[in-house]
Amino acid sequence: MNTGSDERAEVAVSSDETQTDGAQTDGAQGEQGLGSKAPEFIKARRVLHLSWQVGIFIIGLAVVVLGIIMLPLPGPGWVVIFGGMAIWATEFVWAQLVLRWTKRKVTEAAQRALDPKVRRRNIILTSIGLVIVAAIVAVYVYKFGFEMPWNIKDQ
């Protein structure tokens, strides 16, 4: 990846991440800069570093594909997909930016979910949904008893 410099060990840093006094603007203290997290002896050799990146990409791709397969099947699909993204983020700036954006959005959603008005609305909607489901089940049991739908002969 060309960052515009001839220094191979240089790490790309986004301009909105740091201020002139070194304080971070996004409030995430302790985050490292963007760029490859490969060991220095690998970064020092271009062919080895490229091979390292290809290997990381293939491993991350396998994990992401496994997560996509788990979405309709039993298993923690989204967790595995984000695990694959985290593997990619060890080498690729785009994956690091996607993970930062995702973490920020998840944190914002968690904060919104803790808002008392939102919680009250969610509880009311869930209660209404449960009452509707209970009414449908009651009508079914009244009409057909505890018989399974595929065993019902006459209506």
Side-chain angles (χ1 to χ4, degrees), residues 130-150:
L130 288 174
V131 167
I132 291 171
V133 168
I136 292 171
V137 168
V139 168
Y140 177 85
V141 169
Y142 175 75
K143 188 168 183 176
F144 301 108
F146 290 103
E147 194 69 33
M148 289 296 174
W150 48 84

